[in-house]
Structure formats: structure tokens, C-alpha cells
Amino acid sequence: MLTLEGVGKTYANGVHALDAVNLSVGPGEIVAIVGGSGCGKSTLLRAISGLDTPSQGRVMLDGEKVTKPHEKIGIIFQEPRLLPWLTVAGNVGFGLEDRPKAERDARVVEALTRVGLSEKADMWPRELSGGQAQRVAIARALVPRPEVLLLDEPFSALDAFTRVDLQDHLLGLWADTRPILVLVTHDVDEAVVLADRIMVMRPRPGRIFDEIAADLPRPRERQSSAFDRVRRHVMAALDRSLKPVAKSDANEAAAFWW
Amino acid sequence: MSLVRMSAAIEPAAQPKQKAGKSVLTRWRGPALGLILPLILAVGWELAVRAGFSNGRLVPPPSVIYATFSELARTGELQRHAAATLARVLAGFGIGVIVGTLLGAITGYSLLVRRFIDPSLQALRAIPSIAWVPLFILWLGIFEASKVTLIAVGVFFPVYLGVMGAVMSVDRKIVEVGRAFRLSGVKMVRRILLPAVLPAYVIALRSGLGLGWMFVVAAEFMGASEGLGFLLVDGQQLGKPAQIVAAIVAFAVIGKITDWLIVGITAPFLRWEDRFKSPAAEG
């Protein structure tokens, strides 16, 4: 159980990036966070990961306060961020340094097979394509078997085909151990395909604006009308989140002046 | 020639497979091209002296240089002088590298320390190192200590600058990966920072070593009873140009070998580098 209790962040330069976010994510749940740029969604994710500490409130995982990177929390960044001096296998096993070599090797082989890159184990990261590199990054984050996996716009740098492929891949991997997934994205389709629950955020300061349940059966058909309904719902919420309330009133008044 | 050897040592494993197919002739065509000009000059000068166009007294022909070189080697003189010089370079290089690495790492890591000591070090760097010679002799005497110190000073600056720059330019995003895997302190240094700075560090070591070889000559000019620098001065004073050239050749060979050693020892750790390869170097 991952709980955010009034998590807020004010940066040293006075920017109020995040304002009192409350969120509770149950075991095996997939939550997507969408919102316009600058709405604090990455800030929120970094606070959960323990890479940044919130200025207000706290992040709790199974009743334990998260203040620094936690062994049960894995993170996947927008870029693969593979270590160029380690082979693909070395990168995947990076978080298993303290395990016996036999166990580490076995889990690395298993994870690489699972992401379909077992024949690339001895290659250098520079020899991989963008999609392959991100798959290695996913394997690296999943190999220590985290309870929570955070994803910060993980597929946004990839082309549309690779993106869809990796989304399906991610769901397959998630089904193995069913960790909590918290996914930040600006791709509404991605949110609807992956998430059980979609949080729409609004900017300045960043806070949760709306919550939409995406209770579609899995695997989800991207072309189905139910899918489209949820997508339009999210789009509408996003639209409203970016429209300041006071200003829209003024526009309506202006429209009547003649 | 050196370039090709270097790149052969650091090529990724996939490369040699293609190379094996090429004939020896194709493979060595590139390096051989560079040998043509010096060979023409050497043979030309040899022939000119043989034919009597010049007596070759001030510019000895290759055969005389070779004779002098092998004579020096036969009597053990060359080995004795080379060993003395090498010992000085290694001592000075060792001290310069240790101090330069430590200070460079600390100043690269901590902004406070950098603001505190870097301006002073940069000011010292602006002084031509040879200018220290009189002071070093006054402080440390005319024997080994002042020579090794001068070499160490020469080695220190490129190593210090290289390490500081390398540490400062380590990718923040890669460090964050280390943090996400809960690395800190020694583990962060060993698993993230050290491998990240290694390519720049090797370059810093090589330029440091180059300066070390430069400064050992200056140090031996200021008065030495042995060393390759002594052979140079001795050759000048006794009017033996062939001995001077022989000493220069010895410098070139030993300097190159020590540089190869650094490259060769570190190459296995740098195979991952995504480096630029010019199409010409492939031939």
C-alpha cells in the first residue's frame, strides 16, 4: 500500500511546484498521472521515489515513511540511462550486486529472456536501439522485484509502433509479480491502455484536479468504443484542468457585451 | 603507426571479425604510408653523405647514428642513462599523479573546496614550471629531490585539471541511477563515478606523462651526472651530434613505450566507449 499524505514541494527558488497531494494506491494497482507540462507530475514521482524529499506531507509505503530511495521502489526514467561501461547483462544485474553471483546471473538471464533480449546480453548499451535500451531499463528496474515501480514518461522518446509494443510488454511483465505501477505520462492513450485509475493534475501549483476510473477489461482493445469513452473523458478533464475558472467566466461575460 | 596500434587495442570485440578477412597487405597499407617520407629522407641523407656531398659531421647520417646507438648499448652506457632518466620520470609522475588525482577529485566534487583552492592553483599553473628551477635548487639541492619535484609539478597540472573537469562533467542523470539503487559513499565512487571519469582520466594521465618526459630533460639540463639529458649535454659539449641524436631516439622510444603501457593497461576498461572512428583509420 502506497500512500501520499498532503505531499507538497516548494523549491529553493520559491517555485511552488506541488500542493498537498493525497493519493492512496493499493497492491497491484496501476495509476497513471496525466497533465499539462509544468503541473508537477514529475516532481510528484520524484517525491515518491525518494530522490527528492517533499517540503510538506509524507510518502508512506506499507506504513514506513519514504525519505530516500527505497529497495522496494524501482524507477524507470524518460531516457534508458543505462550505464555505458556495463554490458546489457551488467546493467540488468546492477541492483543485485549484494546477491550471490549464481542467483544474480540466473535472474538476469530470466529478465532478459522476459524482455526478449537474451541474445543481446553481452552487447554494450550503445549497440542497442532506443526501444531495446528502454526494455533493458525496464528489466533493470524489475529484477530486484520492487513492490512499487515508478515510470516517468518512459516511452515518450520512442516512435509510435515501439511505444505500443513496449506498453504491451510492460503489462506482460507487470502481470508476473503485480507490483504497484505509478506512471507519469502526457500520452492519454498510454494512460488509458495501462491504468486502472487516471489522475489528472492541474498546474501552478501542481495538484490533483480529477480522478477517472478506467475500469476496462484487460487486455484492452485500443479501437473499442469503451476505450474511446474513457479517452474522451480524460481529454475533457485535461481541457478543463488547463482552463483557469475565473478566466472562462470573463470570456462568457465578454461574449454577451453586444 | 602508433595510432593504428592504439585503435587496434581499443576496438570493440565485433570489429576484428571483419578485419581477419582482410589481407596483411591491406591492413598495413595505412601505417606504411606514413613511413615513406622519413625513409626517403633517411636514405637520401645517407646517400648524400656517402657520395661526398656533405661530410655529415654536424648532421650525422643514419648509419653513424645507428653505430653510436649500438656502441652505447653494447657498453651498457645507454641502459644506465635510460634507467636513471626513467626512474626520475616514474618518481615524479607517481607523485604528480597521486597529488593531482586527489586534489582534482576533491575540487571537482566540492564547490566549496574548488572556490577555496582552485584560483590559487590556476595562478600557480600560469607560471612556466621551469621558472621554479632556481627555487627548487635552493630549497632541495642539486640532486634527485629537486629534479623529481620539477617533474612532479609538470605532471600535476594536467592530471589535476583533467580529473577536476571529468568529475565536474559526470552526467547527473547517471548519478541519479546510482542514487535510485541506493548507492552512496564508496559504492557510488566505485560503481558510478570511477568508471564515468576513466576515459578522461586516461587522457589526463597521458598528457601528464608527456609533460613528465619534457620536464625530465629540463631537470637533467640543470646538472646531472647520468641520464639521457646528461647524454644530450655531454654530446653538445664534446661535439658529438650522433650521441645527441641517439639520446633523442632513446627518449622517443621509451616515451612511446610508457604511453603505450598506459593505453594498453586501460584499454580493457574502456572497450565500452562510443568513440568516433574516422573512415580512414579503418583502412
Side-chain angles (χ1 to χ4, degrees):
Chain A
M1 184 77 149
L2 177 73
T3 327
L4 276 65
E5 300 170 2
V7 170
K9 178 81 186 178
T10 310
Y11 284 108
N13 59 11
V15 173
H16 194 186
L18 206 59
D19 188 55
V21 171
N22 292 299
L23 179 66
S24 184
V25 191
E29 202 179 356
I30 305 181
V31 172
I33 299 169
V34 297
S37 57
C39 70
K41 49 194 196 296
S42 287
T43 306
L44 181 63
L45 205 72
R46 292 180 61 87
I48 303 175
S49 73
L51 285 170
D52 283 345
T53 39
S55 326
Q56 299 93 35
R58 54 183 191 166
V59 177
M60 304 289 287
L61 176 64
D62 299 333
E64 189 187 337
K65 191 175 171 187
V66 177
T67 52
K68 55 182 197 299
H70 194 284
E71 59 177 336
K72 290 181 186 167
I73 303 178
I75 184 162
I76 296 170
F77 300 97
Q78 185 173 354
E79 327 80 16
R81 299 199 189 178
L82 302 180
L83 305 175
W85 53 84
L86 294 179
T87 59
V88 167
N91 268 287
V92 173
F94 190 76
L96 300 176
E97 182 83 340
D98 49 349
R99 310 293 166 91
K101 193 177 179 330
E103 183 198 341
R104 188 170 59 204
D105 289 351
R107 280 169 69 174
V108 167
V109 168
E110 185 199 331
L112 276 175
T113 314
R114 202 66 190 78
V115 294
L117 291 173
S118 50
E119 78 281 14
K120 309 261 185 204
D122 297 323
M123 285 198 167
W124 299 110
R126 65 177 149 90
E127 295 169 292
L128 303 177
S129 71
Q132 289 171 339
Q134 196 60 306
R135 262 144 76 188
V136 174
I138 294 173
R140 176 176 69 183
L142 280 172
V143 133
R145 296 183 188 139
E147 282 178 25
V148 179
L149 184 62
L150 309 172
L151 302 103
D152 188 3
E153 304 190 14
F155 310 133
S156 61
L158 304 171
D159 63 89
F161 291 112
T162 315
R163 197 181 310 155
V164 167
D165 180 47
L166 279 193
Q167 286 161 359
D168 295 342
H169 227 96
L170 177 69
L171 279 177
L173 292 168
W174 167 81
D176 290 349
T177 54
R178 294 190 164 252
I180 290 176
L181 293 192
V182 181
L183 166 88
V184 160
T185 181
H186 55 235
D187 179 347
V188 173
D189 279 30
E190 184 165 286
V192 180
V193 160
L194 298 175
D196 301 312
R197 209 159 24 123
I198 299 164
M199 317 300 289
V200 180
M201 289 187 71
R202 81 178 299 174
R204 280 176 292 277
R207 66 220 117 119
I208 291 178
F209 173 74
D210 201 356
E211 178 181 331
I212 295 152
D215 43 4
L216 307 169
R218 297 181 191 274
R220 292 178 181 169
E221 185 51 60
R222 286 177 176 81
Q223 258 56 262
S224 72
S225 62
F227 187 95
D228 210 41
R229 180 175 47 79
V230 177
R231 175 171 44 204
R232 262 179 294 164
H233 197 149
V234 176
M235 289 284 212
L238 262 177
D239 244 16
R240 275 181 285 126
S241 80
L242 294 172
K243 218 174 279 170
V245 183
K247 210 170 172 186
S248 66
D249 284 347
N251 285 344
E252 271 172 38
F256 282 111
W257 71 269
W258 51 276
Chain B
M1 184 124 149
S2 67
L3 251 175
V4 165
R5 287 251 188 137
M6 273 161 51
S7 66
I10 49 200
E11 264 161 13
Q15 217 61 20
K17 280 182 212 153
Q18 304 167 1
K19 283 253 154 126
K22 288 188 184 175
S23 75
V24 177
L25 198 74
T26 341
R27 184 161 174 187
W28 291 103
R29 196 181 51 197
L33 214 57
L35 286 176
I36 293 174
L37 186 62
L39 275 179
I40 288 178
L41 289 177
V43 172
W45 187 241
E46 185 72 45
L47 293 176
V49 174
R50 293 268 165 103
F53 292 116
S54 165
N55 60 16
R57 206 174 52 80
L58 282 179
V59 185
S63 60
V64 176
I65 294 167
Y66 178 75
T68 312
F69 196 89
S70 41
E71 177 63 19
L72 281 171
R74 197 184 53 76
T75 56
E77 283 285 279
L78 188 70
Q79 289 85 332
R80 184 168 65 87
H81 291 299
T85 298
L86 191 62
R88 287 179 187 130
V89 172
L90 291 185
F93 181 70
I95 296 169
V97 164
I98 291 169
V99 181
T101 305
L102 287 177
L103 282 182
I106 297 168
T107 48
Y109 192 75
S110 154
L111 179 66
L112 184 70
V113 178
R114 181 157 71 247
R115 289 195 169 145
F116 182 60
I117 65 172
D118 187 55
S120 307
L121 286 174
Q122 296 297 344
L124 288 177
R125 192 170 75 92
I127 302 168
S129 303
I130 310 288
W132 292 109
V133 168
L135 261 189
F136 285 167
I137 291 178
L138 275 183
W139 289 344
L140 304 164
I142 55 165
F143 298 109
E144 293 306 305
S146 58
K147 293 183 176 60
V148 170
T149 307
L150 181 66
I151 298 165
V153 168
V155 173
F156 167 79
F157 284 109
V159 173
Y160 165 76
L161 276 184
V163 172
M164 181 175 74
V167 172
M168 282 169 65
S169 61
V170 170
D171 190 354
R172 179 189 60 80
K173 294 178 169 179
I174 291 281
V175 175
E176 213 165 75
V177 170
R179 286 187 55 211
F181 281 101
R182 300 175 312 287
L183 301 184
S184 60
V186 179
K187 279 191 173 174
M188 179 67 102
V189 170
R190 181 172 63 83
R191 301 189 64 195
I192 302 278
L193 296 179
L194 220 54
V197 303
L198 194 60
Y201 189 50
V202 171
I203 293 172
L205 287 183
R206 292 177 66 189
S207 35
L209 185 66
L211 278 183
W213 280 105
M214 206 164 113
F215 279 75
V216 77
V217 180
E220 289 178 344
F221 276 181
M222 71 201 204
S225 53
E226 57 178 3
L228 292 172
F230 165 79
L231 276 187
L232 295 174
V233 179
D234 186 62
Q236 179 212 334
Q237 285 168 348
L238 301 181
K240 295 190 282 192
Q243 180 181 318
I244 298 178
V245 180
I248 289 173
V249 170
F251 266 122
V253 171
I254 304 174
K256 194 71 230 173
I257 289 173
T258 51
D259 188 57
W260 274 340
L261 280 178
I262 295 185
V263 173
I265 291 169
T266 54
F269 303 103
L270 294 178
R271 282 194 303 131
W272 53 271
E273 269 193 297
D274 196 1
R275 63 169 67 222
F276 169 76
K277 269 199 215 78
S278 86
E282 303 277 298

